[in-house]
């Protein structure tokens, strides 16, 4: 059961940064073996159906015809041509996806994907708490606007992460640098990555408090001379907590320091399971996962047109008699667990759409062997990869003459020891390539098994049913 606080980190592992952050963005493209790569930040993972259509078109016309979902709920386009950067920037800007060129890489904001959709959150479905359940979307919009208006914030690394949790504890477990956790009675707790205690603030001040905390981090990091990109990289004795307390007071934000034991834990939740989610407002949301985090343009089109259909139904007054949805019609929510939420569907259309998404190859059932399986790009897209991890992962999921049972632990396949995109805040099966088709398999850093072929499939399957030593 995940805690409703950021995951503690080992500061002994903090490096000293001696170079600039080369994290890719939508304007700073990364040169990969399969072409240029663009990473588009999506605050809270929210896209209108028009923006989703623009991304689909860009993937088909400029890229390799696929959209990759990252572990932060962002979208990557791969296989881009050498000279298409300007064209891509124009279409993204016209769609409202690039509000500030100077800030485009720092808009890393994850939010509880089911906030306001399933009656959970800080106070469940009680009327007095509905604003708390919905507030993460409002926080995201306000925080994004504040970030883009801050000249100081441009110094943040492209890896710095904000998490906006509606109280269920899902994105609070992702080890973000700054976390807002919705509480009862119009309040929130503000946390920094290395400290499970926090500050209680008004929900109306929450987004501003998050920005102040991020700007304070930059001041402390510069004074310490470590070149830290993230809070966990600050050296011991950095004094960030005291500095944040002082800066909140200077900004006129009432904040009460709160020990971890004093927090209202609220309900707890893991990642959204694939399938249908019944909303108290009478609509249905669908949660689907992309196998290995990758969607073809055709699969994306199914999701995008479903969002468009909800918008059209709303305009025609066919959204359901007496139904007032808690999520805007015509939107998608991309999740940090490489999934997509389609909210505000009429109940009589949800089952048919779920069947079509399943037929198209998306994960719509927790029992799917693809559920919880992630992978980096591997060969041939990445020069550092030692193997074709996506092909190897698929073979391990479908061993000859066998069928893998639904697993307990997620698994991440990595083409090298960098482990790009691995899960955060949870135990996972770590499958790391050591050569062509050969991998080390371990859980929580325990004894590693080196295997290939059918032995590899068996080792991964066995590891996924291991009782983990870490908790979320």
């Amino acid at each position: 059961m995940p805690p409703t606080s950021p995951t503690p980190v080992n500061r002994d592992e903090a490096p000293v940064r001696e170079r600039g952050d080369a994290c890719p963005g939508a304007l700073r493209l990364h040169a990969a073996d399969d072409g240029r790569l663009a990473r588009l930040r999506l605050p809270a993972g929210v896209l209108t159906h028009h923006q989703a259509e623009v991304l689909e078109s860009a993937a088909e016309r400029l890229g390799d015809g696929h959209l990759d979902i990252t572990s932060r709920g962002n979208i990557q386009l791969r296989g881009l041509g050498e000279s298409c950067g300007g064209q891509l920037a124009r279409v993204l800007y016209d769609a409202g996806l690039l509000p500030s060129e100077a800030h485009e890489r720092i808009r890393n904001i994850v939010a509880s994907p089911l906030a306001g959709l399933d009656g959970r959150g800080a106070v469940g479905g009680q009327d007095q708490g509905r604003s708390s359940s919905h507030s993460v979307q409002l926080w995201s919009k306000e925080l994004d606007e504040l970030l883009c208006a801050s000249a100081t914030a441009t110094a943040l690394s492209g890896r710095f992460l904000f998490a906006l949790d509606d109280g269920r504890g899902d994105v609070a477990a992702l080890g973000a640098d700054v976390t807002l956790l919705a509480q009862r009675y119009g309040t929130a707790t503000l946390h920094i990555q290395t400290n499970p205690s926090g500050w209680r603030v008004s929900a109306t001040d929450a987004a501003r408090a998050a920005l102040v905390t991020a700007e304070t981090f930059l001041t402390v990091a510069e004074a310490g001379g470590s070149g830290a990109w993230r809070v966990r990289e600050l050296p011991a004795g950095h004094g960030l907590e005291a500095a944040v307390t002082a800066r909140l007071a200077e900004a006129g934000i009432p904040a009460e320091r709160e020990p971890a034991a004093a927090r209202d834990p609220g309900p707890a939740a893991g990642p959204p399971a694939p399938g249908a989610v019944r909303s108290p407002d009478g609509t249905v949301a669908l949660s689907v996962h992309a196998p290995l985090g990758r969607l073809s343009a055709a699969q994306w089109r199914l999701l995008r047109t479903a969002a468009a259909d909800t918008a059209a139904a709303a305009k025609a007054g066919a959204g359901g008699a007496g139904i007032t949805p808690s999520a805007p019609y015509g939107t998608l929510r991309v999740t940090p667990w490489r999934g997509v939420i389609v909210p505000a569907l009429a109940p009589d259309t949800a089952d048919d759409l779920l069947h079509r998404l399943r037929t198209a190859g998306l994960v719509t059932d927790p029992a799917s062997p693809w559920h919880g399986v992630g992978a980096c790009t591997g060969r041939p897209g990445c020069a550092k990869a030692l193997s074709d991890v996506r092909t190897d992962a698929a073979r391990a999921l479908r061993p000859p003459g066998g069928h893998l049972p639904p697993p307990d632990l997620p698994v991440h396949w990595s083409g090298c020891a960098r482990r790009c995109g691995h899960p955060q805040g949870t135990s996972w099966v770590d499958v790391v390539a050591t050569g062509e088709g050969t991998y080390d398999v371990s859980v929580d850093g325990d004894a590693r098994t080196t295997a290939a072929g059918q032995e590899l499939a068996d080792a991964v399957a066995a590891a996924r049913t291991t009782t983990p030593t870490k908790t979320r």
Side-chain angles (χ1 to χ4, degrees):
M1 181 175 292
T4 53
S5 63
T7 303
V9 298
N10 182 1
R11 195 152 51 237
D12 293 337
E13 298 176 356
V16 174
R17 299 295 184 189
E18 297 178 347
R19 60 183 176 84
D21 175 23
C23 197
L27 301 178
R28 179 189 290 180
L29 306 187
H30 170 71
D33 273 18
D34 58 350
R36 299 283 175 172
L37 177 153
R39 182 178 299 159
L40 177 64
R41 271 66 176 184
L42 302 177
V46 175
L47 286 167
T48 67
H49 67 86
H50 171 65
Q51 291 171 334
E53 184 177 20
V54 167
L55 292 181
E56 176 191 315
S57 175
E60 290 186 308
R61 293 188 299 107
L62 305 176
D64 64 3
H66 291 82
L67 300 96
D68 290 353
I69 302 177
T70 76
S71 60
R72 293 181 167 191
N74 296 319
I75 292 291
Q76 288 186 167
L77 303 178
R78 301 190 66 98
L80 299 168
E82 293 284 339
S83 60
C84 73
Q87 185 179 358
L88 176 63
R90 284 192 298 274
V91 298
L92 295 178
Y93 177 83
D94 290 343
L97 291 168
L98 284 179
S100 170
E101 292 186 8
H103 297 81
E104 64 99 1
R105 293 190 312 125
I106 69 167
R107 301 168 67 228
N108 290 305
I109 304 172
V110 296
S112 300
L114 293 178
L117 298 180
D118 62 353
R120 300 188 67 176
V123 286
Q126 299 175 26
D127 289 340
Q128 70 179 47
R130 295 185 76 81
S131 61
S132 294
S133 293
H134 295 193
S135 65
V136 295
Q137 297 296 327
L138 301 177
W139 285 345
S140 174
K141 184 176 185 299
E142 182 181 357
L143 178 57
D144 189 32
E145 291 173 350
L146 290 170
L147 280 171
C148 290
S150 169
T152 300
T154 59
L156 289 171
S157 160
R159 302 160 195 261
F160 195 91
L161 180 63
F162 297 89
L164 313 181
D165 195 300
D166 72 348
R168 72 185 65 217
D170 54 356
V171 296
L174 296 181
D177 298 277
V178 178
T179 297
L180 291 175
L181 184 66
Q183 300 287 355
R184 298 173 185 264
Y185 312 118
T187 65
T189 48
L190 168 73
H191 303 276
I192 57 175
Q193 187 175 46
T194 55
N195 198 328
S197 65
W199 297 261
R200 187 175 287 264
V201 299
S202 167
T204 57
D205 290 329
R208 192 158 61 99
L211 175 67
V212 167
T213 303
E215 291 178 336
T216 305
F217 158 77
L218 290 172
T219 301
V220 171
E222 182 178 8
S226 66
W229 293 340
R230 308 211 45 200
V231 170
R232 70 185 179 201
E233 296 172 0
L234 291 173
H238 50 70
L240 179 58
E241 291 87 353
V244 168
T245 297
R247 286 289 301 277
L248 289 173
E250 291 172 7
I253 300 174
E256 179 183 353
R257 197 63 195 269
E258 185 178 72
R263 293 196 314 274
D264 176 4
V277 179
R278 306 289 168 176
S279 299
D281 60 28
T283 63
V284 175
L286 295 185
S287 170
V288 298
H289 293 194
L292 302 182
R294 176 154 253 232
L295 291 159
S296 68
Q299 290 171 325
W300 182 263
R301 189 175 299 116
L302 273 177
L303 295 166
R304 190 259 302 169
T305 53
D309 289 345
T310 66
K315 290 180 180 179
I323 292 178
T324 302
S326 55
Y329 282 115
T331 60
L332 296 175
R333 296 183 184 181
V334 182
T335 82
W337 297 279
R338 295 183 169 88
V340 179
I341 306 294
V342 186
L345 293 165
D348 58 354
T349 66
D351 288 343
D352 176 66
L353 176 59
L354 196 65
H355 173 73
R356 286 189 284 132
L357 293 171
R358 183 185 307 114
T359 302
L362 297 177
V363 180
T364 63
D365 187 333
S368 167
W370 286 99
H371 182 217
V373 180
C376 72
T377 298
R379 289 183 178 174
C382 177
K384 293 183 173 63
L386 302 177
S387 191
D388 182 351
V389 295
R390 294 179 181 272
T391 298
D392 295 339
R395 286 173 179 163
L397 284 177
R398 291 191 290 265
H403 174 73
L404 293 181
D408 295 322
L409 288 181
V411 58
H412 186 76
W413 293 72
S414 302
C416 71
R418 294 188 305 163
R419 296 171 171 82
C420 293
H422 69 75
Q424 299 288 336
T426 185
S427 293
W428 81 92
V429 178
D430 191 23
V431 187
V432 182
T434 57
E436 185 66 49
T438 304
Y439 292 81
D440 281 346
V441 182
S442 64
V443 178
D444 295 341
D446 292 340
R448 297 178 180 274
T449 299
T450 301
Q454 183 57 44
E455 290 183 356
L456 173 62
D458 294 340
V460 172
R464 296 195 75 180
T465 61
T466 301
T467 301
T469 59
K470 293 181 181 179
T471 57
R472 295 183 46 124

